[in-house]
Every structure is written in C-alpha cells, then in structure tokens.
C-alpha cells in the first residue's frame, strides 16, 4: 500500500514509544502513519508519526532534501497556535541495517481528515458545508504565521488537516521560510497548482529562492475557490502543470480570470483579489485583512447551506473580462455532476448546452478555427519524436516569456544534447534527454513531477528544462539582442559565463551554432 511513498514504513514498526498501525498519507518529502502506544497500559493518545527520509541527513548527497527536513523539524516545534498542527516531540528511528535507521520522526496530533479528502468527495460546483468557517480558520493560521515573520510555502488541501472537533490545522512546514525584511529564502519547490505566476521566473541563489507572504495569498485564493466551488480549480487544464500554464497566461494578460460563476459575488471578489496576477497587487491583501473580510462575509453562520440555495448565476465582478462557461476545468466537472431536481436540473442542462456551444464555436456560431501555430512552435513536419512533442510544448508554454522559451528552442537543445536519446550518458554522470548534471537538475526539479524526479525520465527532464530556461532568462534582461543564443550558451556553460562575456562566450559558439541550426529546422516562422 505504501509503494512509491516518500518513506515506506511497515505496520508494527516502533519508535518514540509508539507502534505504526496504518498508513495515512504521503507527500514529496515525508510520509504520515497512524500509531498507538506500545505499552498497553497507556491509553490511546491520538498520535500520528511523520517519517522523513533518513538520506536527508547526508547533506553532501541530498543537500536540498536535508534543508527541507531541517525546516520541518525547526518550524514544527517552534510554531504554536490552535490553527497549526501540534508537534509533540521529535525522535529518530532505530533500524540497524535497515532503510529507516536514522530517519527523523515527528510525533504529531492525529487529524480526523484533510481538506483534500473533503474536496475529493464534494459535489463539483457546490461549496463545502461550513465553507466560510473553514476559510476563516485557514486564514487564522496563515495570519498567525505571517504576523510572526513566516511564509508557509506549501499551502494546499492536503496540508490543511481537520481535527476530531472539525477545526482546521495547517501542517507540513518543510518549505516554510522566515522573512528577512521583505523576503524569505527557501527551496525551489512547491506544488504547481498552488504556486503564483512569478514563481516560474524565480531565481535560485546560494540561499535558495526568494519568496514572500503573497505566495501564500495566491495559494489561499486557489484553495478558497476550490472550497467555494466543490473542488473546482480556477484555472483550466487536465494536469497541474497545464493549470499552472493557464495561470501564467492569465498573469501575462493573454487570458482573463474566469471564476466559477456560482460563487456569490462578494466571495468571488475576495478570491480574485488573492489571485491578483503579480506580487505588487497581491500585497494589498494581507492574510489579516482577508480574515477580517471572511468573518464579515460569513457573519459567524454556516455558509455551505446558504450557498447551496443560491441558483442564479451571478457573473458580475469577475476581473479580466472573464465570462461564465469558458473555464473548462470547472465546466467539465460541473456538467458531469449529479443533476439537481426539478427546475434546477433544467437550468443547469441549459447552461451546459450553451457552454458547450461557446466552447465549440466562434463568436458568430461558426465552428471555431483550429489554433494557429505561433512563431517558435514546432513545425508539423519537424523531425521531433512524436512521443515528446506534447511534453516539449507544455514545458515551453509554462514560461511567461513565450517569445523567448519556445517549443522549438527546447527541442533544439534536446537534439543537440542527446539526439532525443533518453538513455544517453556521459562519464561525469550527466545524462538523459537533456544531458542534465544531477546537481543542477535536482535544484530545479523539486515538485515538478512527483517526489523523486529523474534525469532519465523524459517527462521530468523536459519539464525541468523549460523551468530552467525560463528562470535563467531573467538574468539576461539587460543584455540586448536575441536571447535564444544566450539561453543555449547558459544551458551548456552556465549563466555566469554568459554574464561575464556580455553575450555568447567564445567557448560556447560551436554549441550555440548547432542549437540555432536545429531551431531553424524545427521552428514555425
């Protein structure tokens, strides 16, 4: 049952006076298990054990993982608030000769369920019962953290736990960071569905990636939309990375913000404020102010039942020119939901039919034309393996700079590096489609495609290549001319060499020429 978990632990394993009884859940960095006291004379005490990888204690091999473990241990014991999960003790697993020997263990209060489980069971489009109270309590935890100079860094439904009394407890502090003035510094990690648009171009420095409290505000906006709309994400897409790409398009002004129209206008306005497309605008809505607004909107009442009685589609107040019926992620879920009785079912059927027509036709009612290829897209006749085309396009389109990081550039680098051979290797350890250096790959790959991305997995290698190119381009903003050669040179020889030369360094010219020749073969002009 725990195959593929970050830390598989067998039932019956003992640590800190407790015995593991059942798996509860896993994340990218740790796994949580139910436990009971080993001593039968001790009554059950409602404990969960969070195991962190033993390998994290070897910074030479797993520097980033060690940093996450250190943060988790530091902030789990430091934070004290009714809306934050309580860590009772820290322990170290003893498993001589086994894989768990030396693994850090957090002894925590056990939750009854998580927000992720509530959303998974929710009716799409309908708010959760007690939606207002849940959001207020989540915001209480955030406001406390921000007021004490901390950024949570990984707010998402699986990290919002509900205790036996139904109260919210925020958990998982592996990406939590402490503010130093206006910024904190943390690992280049997170869950794409809940990362703000500016994160795609965040620069990884010696101290980590700079982050701010507005990262949590964006994540709260996404989460609030899901709570108010039965789990529906505010951005369209079938995968987390696709939805993150849609968020980047919104932030760049390519598309408007289309929130689920069944959310009452005052609540939708609050969500839209949290999803302001950049840090500067989002900073006007700190967690403490959001909490005040939520309490005023909720009025101390249970909002779920009140929202369910609302049948009119209120489409006012949606910023960015968005219109109902065009956000495919929530539309698909809404129209596949169980019908409501009587007139309500008829209303939703009509809405569904109109929305389908809107998606399939243009403004005049004629069939919508196929998407036109843009400059830098892959030519249909380009000799790029079909199995990688969608991966390459998605990796490039995650960037906010589509004229710089294009699918053709990503494909050209892959061709020159490996000839599209996923098993290519060099004696120094570099390998895969993109011939990644393991250390560089690991610094950019956290949270991209699961807990253990690999340079030899084509999907991982291509996704991280897109992130890397987008991130390093920001370092060349002051350099004139075409940035494609600069990105190619930086990928092979490092951005420092490009900055030192003020352009393409001499040692990189042969490599860059090969990339540009491949680009000319692949790119739509």
């Amino acid at each position: 049952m725990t195959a593929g978990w970050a830390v598989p632990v067998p039932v019956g394993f003992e640590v800190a006076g407790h015995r593991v009884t059942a798996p509860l859940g896993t994340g990218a960095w740790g796994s949580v298990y139910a436990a009971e006291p080993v001593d039968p004379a001790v009554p059950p005490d409602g404990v969960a054990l969070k195991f962190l990888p033993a390998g994290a204690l070897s910074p030479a091999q797993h520097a980033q993982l060690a940093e996450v473990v250190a943060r988790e241990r530091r902030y789990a014991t430091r934070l004290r608030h009714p809306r934050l999960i309580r860590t009772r003790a820290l322990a170290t697993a003893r498993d001589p000769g086994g894989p768990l020997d030396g693994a850090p263990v957090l002894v925590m209060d056990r939750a009854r369920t998580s927000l992720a489980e509530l959303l998974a069971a929710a009716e799409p489009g309908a708010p959760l019962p007690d939606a207002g109270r849940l959001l207020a309590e989540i915001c209480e935890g955030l406001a406390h953290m921000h007021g004490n100079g901390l950024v949570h860094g990984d707010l998402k439904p699986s990290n919002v736990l509900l205790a036996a009394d139904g109260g919210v407890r925020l958990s998982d502090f592996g990406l939590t960071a402490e503010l130093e003035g206006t910024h904190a510094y943390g690992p280049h990690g997170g869950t794409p569905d809940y990362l703000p648009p500016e994160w795609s171009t965040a620069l990884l420095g010696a101290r980590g990636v700079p982050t701010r409290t507005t990262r949590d505000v964006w994540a709260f906006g996404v989460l609030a939309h899901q709570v108010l709309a039965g789990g529906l994400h505010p951005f369209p897409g079938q995968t987390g990375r696709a939805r993150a790409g849609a968020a980047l398009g919104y932030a760049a002004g390519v598309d408007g913000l289309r929130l689920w129209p069944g959310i009452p206008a005052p609540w939708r306005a609050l969500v839209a404020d949290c999803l302001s497309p950049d840090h500067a605008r989002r900073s006007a809505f700190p967690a403490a102010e959001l909490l005040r607004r939520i309490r005023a909107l909720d009025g101390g009442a249970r909002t779920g039942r009140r929202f369910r009685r609302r049948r009119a589609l209120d489409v006012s107040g949606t910023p960015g020119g968005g219109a109902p019926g065009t956000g495919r992620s929530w539309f698909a879920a809404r129209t596949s939901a169980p019908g409501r009785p009587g007139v309500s079912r008829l209303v939703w059927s009509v809405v569904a039919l109109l929305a389908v027509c809107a998606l399939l036709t243009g403004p005049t009612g004629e069939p919508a034309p196929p998407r036109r290829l843009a400059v830098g897209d892959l030519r249909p006749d380009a000799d790029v393996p079909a199995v990688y085309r969608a991966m390459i396009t998605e990796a490039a389109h995650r960037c906010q700079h589509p004229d710089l990081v294009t699918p053709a550039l990503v494909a050209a680098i892959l061709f020159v590096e490996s000839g599209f051979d996923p098993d290519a290797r060099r004696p120094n350890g570099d390998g895969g489609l993109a011939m990644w250096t393991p250390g560089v790959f690991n610094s950019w790959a956290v949270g991209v495609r699961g807990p253990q991305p690999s340079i030899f997995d084509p999907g991982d290698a291509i996704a991280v290549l897109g992130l890397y190119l987008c991130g390093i381009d920001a370092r060349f903003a002051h350099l004139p001319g075409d940035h494609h050669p600069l990105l190619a040179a930086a990928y092979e020889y490092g951005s420092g060499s490009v900055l030192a030369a003020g352009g393409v360094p001499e040692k990189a010219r042969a490599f860059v020429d090969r990339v540009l020749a491949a680009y000319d073969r692949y790119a739509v002009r």
Side-chain angles (χ1 to χ4, degrees), residues 423-449:
D423 298 319
R425 297 172 185 261
R426 289 177 181 154
N428 64 355
D430 295 359
L433 276 175
M435 298 303 287
W436 276 108
T437 297
V440 178
F441 175 85
N442 289 334
S443 69
W444 288 88
V446 177
V448 170
R449 282 171 53 91

Side-chain angles (χ1 to χ4, degrees), residues 149 151 177-186 209-212:
V151 179
E178 189 164 5
L179 290 168
E180 302 175 24
T182 59
H183 289 75
Y185 297 87
V209 179
T211 186
R212 295 172 280 206

Side-chain angles (χ1 to χ4, degrees), residues 237-257:
Q238 296 302 310
T239 66
R241 283 186 292 166
R243 291 186 288 271
L248 289 175
Y250 151 67
V254 175
D255 201 0
L257 181 62

Side-chain angles (χ1 to χ4, degrees), residues 40-448:
V42 176
D45 50 1
V47 157
L49 303 176
K50 181 170 184 176
F51 288 77
L52 301 167
L57 300 180
S58 176
Q61 298 178 3
H62 303 289
Q64 192 168 31
L65 190 56
E67 180 185 0
V68 170
V69 170
R71 288 170 184 272
E72 177 84 24
R73 299 184 71 167
R74 179 165 68 249
Y75 295 118
T77 53
R78 169 180 163 182
L79 294 168
R80 290 289 183 269
H81 188 270
R83 298 299 168 218
L84 305 179
I85 197 74
R86 181 170 63 120
T87 298
R88 303 183 184 185
L90 298 175
T92 301
R94 299 302 176 203
D95 183 27
L100 295 173
D101 194 43
V105 182
L106 280 63
V107 183
M108 309 184 302
D109 287 343
R110 189 191 311 174
R112 173 175 57 84
T113 187
S114 71
L115 182 59
E117 292 174 335
L118 295 185
L119 292 174
E123 178 188 348
L128 295 182
D130 279 344
R133 178 187 64 81
L134 290 174
L135 293 178
E137 292 184 0
I138 294 167
C139 213
E140 285 174 16
L142 274 188
H144 174 77
M145 294 187 71
H146 293 180
N148 284 273
L150 297 172
V151 179
H152 184 283
D154 199 17
L155 182 66
K156 57 185 178 181
S158 60
N159 288 340
V160 177
L161 306 181
L162 280 79
D165 62 0
V168 163
R169 306 288 189 273
L170 302 188
S171 69
D172 199 336
F173 307 112
L175 297 182
T176 294
E178 189 164 5
L179 290 168
E180 302 175 24
T182 59
H183 289 75
Y185 297 87
H188 196 283
T191 305
D193 265 336
Y194 301 91
L195 289 175
E198 64 268 17
W199 195 248
S200 67
T201 55
L203 301 180
L204 181 64
R207 303 178 60 200
V209 179
T211 186
R212 295 172 280 206
T213 55
T214 53
R215 169 175 173 161
D216 288 342
V217 171
W218 172 277
F220 180 76
V222 175
L223 185 150
H225 187 278
Q226 293 179 298
V227 168
L228 297 168
L232 304 182
H233 197 278
F235 296 100
Q238 296 302 310
T239 66
R241 283 186 292 166
R243 291 186 288 271
L248 289 175
Y250 151 67
V254 175
D255 201 0
L257 181 62
R258 298 181 174 94
L259 305 180
W260 172 239
I263 299 173
W267 288 93
R268 200 164 64 253
L270 182 142
V271 172
D273 287 340
C274 294
L275 298 181
S276 296
D278 56 59
H279 157 75
R281 280 176 276 188
R282 219 176 303 130
S283 63
F285 310 106
E289 172 61 17
L290 293 173
L291 177 58
R292 183 196 65 76
R293 290 170 62 181
I294 291 170
R295 285 172 171 167
L297 288 172
D298 188 42
R302 295 178 178 268
T303 63
R305 184 170 300 169
R306 184 169 69 247
F307 285 169
R308 285 179 183 270
R309 288 199 297 264
R310 181 183 179 86
R311 295 182 180 178
L313 291 181
D314 185 345
V315 299
S316 63
T318 303
T326 51
R328 298 190 186 201
S329 57
W330 56 252
F331 171 77
R334 175 65 262 179
T335 54
S336 64
R340 300 184 181 185
V343 176
S344 182
R345 180 185 300 234
L346 176 60
V347 169
W348 282 113
S349 297
V350 172
V351 170
L353 178 61
L354 291 175
V356 168
C357 292
L359 289 172
L360 298 180
T361 67
T364 64
E366 295 297 323
R371 175 185 175 274
R372 297 182 62 182
L373 294 174
V375 173
D377 279 349
L378 292 174
R379 290 170 44 187
D381 61 346
D383 59 340
V384 175
V387 68
Y388 301 138
R389 279 180 169 267
M391 298 179 191
I392 290 169
T393 298
E394 183 178 346
H397 287 176
R398 288 194 66 191
C399 188
Q400 291 190 53
H401 308 292
D403 56 328
L404 300 176
V405 181
T406 61
L409 177 64
V410 173
I413 290 176
L414 295 174
F415 170 76
V416 173
E417 287 284 56
S418 69
F420 298 111
D421 179 3
D423 298 319
R425 297 172 185 261
R426 289 177 181 154
N428 64 355
D430 295 359
L433 276 175
M435 298 303 287
W436 276 108
T437 297
V440 178
F441 175 85
N442 289 334
S443 69
W444 288 88
V446 177
V448 170

